[in-house]
Amino acid sequence: MTLLDDFLVRATLAGLGLVLAAAPLGCFVVWRRMAYFGDATAHAAILGVALALAFDTSVFGGVLVVSLLMAFTVSSLSNRGYAMDTLLGVLAHSALAFGLVAVSFLHGVRVDLMAYLFGDILAVGVPNLAVIWGGAALVLGLLWWRWSALLTATLNPDLAFAAGIDPRREQLVLTLALALVVAVAIKVVGVLLIAAMLIVPAATARPFATTPERMALAAIVIGALAVIGGLQASLEWDTPTGPSIVCLAAILFTVSSVAQALFGRSRP
């Protein structure tokens, strides 16, 4: 018997792999105020699941392709005069609805929608771990490579242009990383909770971080605490695991907000 034969060890490793990718990426989502962007990309994942099952291909590949298409669509249309909040609202809910309708047309295929909507982290196997950690490594490598350029383009697009950095290119880098995280996370926390794992740890770390790098590291630590604590709470009280993880992350955010209000340590 090996360590990976324990389902709880596999679930913990899967959650930590997701956090390593989602937490630093979530910092850019918070800084750029792209919360709805992540939500729209995540909702499109259900359509990717339906198409993958219909054509008998990899669910990971189907989710990745559709998430990329959604992200590129949002990026393209946002530059053509559409109000961003309206555009994201239309695309997010439309993608989810089309995905659910597409699933209903699949005959002879058993689809556990609850697992895709809310995650099934306790059922993660060794092949899933390889996909999750491989995707996390790609996202971390991408962010490490483009960190300075992404940060400059996020803080001041005019300064980025002056430094020879194309903000639109950096937006595409974030789009690719976001699609990868969605494809990786669907098995762990599900479509409806992916955006929470992107945003909540980063938002919790923000008031107490003195530099962008420290905020990213703090978000990883907070996300890891939410994963480990949420798993333990789920086993103790027999609650849904994915939502339990997000609930603990939300509690940590509340504690952070209260501490900020009491001690007045707010960072821009």
Side-chain angles (χ1 to χ4, degrees):
M1 182 176 179
T2 65
L3 187 64
L4 292 180
D5 289 334
D6 188 334
F7 76 95
L8 187 58
V9 171
R10 293 196 304 270
T12 303
L13 289 175
L16 293 178
L18 169 62
V19 166
L20 281 174
L25 181 61
C27 292
F28 284 100
V29 171
V30 169
W31 293 330
R32 287 172 171 255
R33 300 179 181 179
M34 292 171 57
Y36 281 121
F37 186 86
D39 211 28
T41 307
H43 284 179
I46 285 293
L47 183 57
V49 170
L51 293 176
L53 294 175
F55 292 101
D56 195 23
T57 60
S58 166
V59 171
F60 175 81
V63 170
L64 180 59
V65 169
V66 173
S67 297
L68 279 172
L69 287 175
M70 171 60 77
F72 285 132
T73 299
V74 172
S75 297
S76 300
L77 292 179
S78 63
N79 295 324
R80 298 187 178 182
Y82 291 93
M84 181 58 75
D85 57 345
T86 302
L87 175 64
L88 289 174
V90 170
L91 290 178
H93 298 296
S94 299
L96 181 60
F98 276 111
L100 293 174
V101 170
V103 167
S104 71
F105 284 106
L106 297 177
H107 300 292
V109 178
R110 184 179 178 274
V111 182
D112 185 2
L113 277 179
M114 292 296 289
Y116 288 113
L117 290 173
F118 298 104
D120 193 10
I121 191 172
L122 296 179
V124 168
V126 175
N128 299 126
L129 278 179
V131 171
I132 290 168
W133 278 88
L138 284 173
V139 171
L140 283 176
L142 198 59
L143 291 178
W144 179 273
W145 174 45
R146 304 302 304 171
W147 180 266
S148 179
L150 283 169
L151 197 57
T152 304
T154 297
L155 296 177
N156 193 324
D158 294 332
L159 179 61
F161 270 120
I165 299 170
D166 185 354
R168 290 173 296 180
R169 181 185 60 201
E170 304 312 317
Q171 174 75 22
L172 289 178
V173 170
L174 280 180
T175 295
L176 175 60
L178 188 59
L180 277 171
V181 167
V182 168
V184 164
I186 190 171
K187 181 68 176 178
V188 180
V189 293
V191 167
L192 299 181
L193 304 178
I194 290 172
M197 289 307 294
L198 278 168
I199 298 165
V200 178
T204 304
R206 186 175 188 176
F208 307 104
T210 54
T211 66
E213 292 78 13
R214 289 183 180 179
M215 178 172 165
L217 289 174
I220 291 174
V221 173
I222 291 166
L225 290 175
V227 166
I228 295 171
L231 281 170
Q232 292 298 325
S234 175
L235 290 174
E236 181 70 24
W237 295 310
D238 193 25
T239 55
T241 310
S244 297
I245 292 172
V246 178
C247 282
L248 184 53
I251 291 172
L252 292 174
F253 172 76
T254 303
V255 172
S256 170
S257 300
V258 171
Q260 177 188 350
L262 290 177
F263 300 105
R265 294 185 61 190
S266 177
R267 302 295 176 186

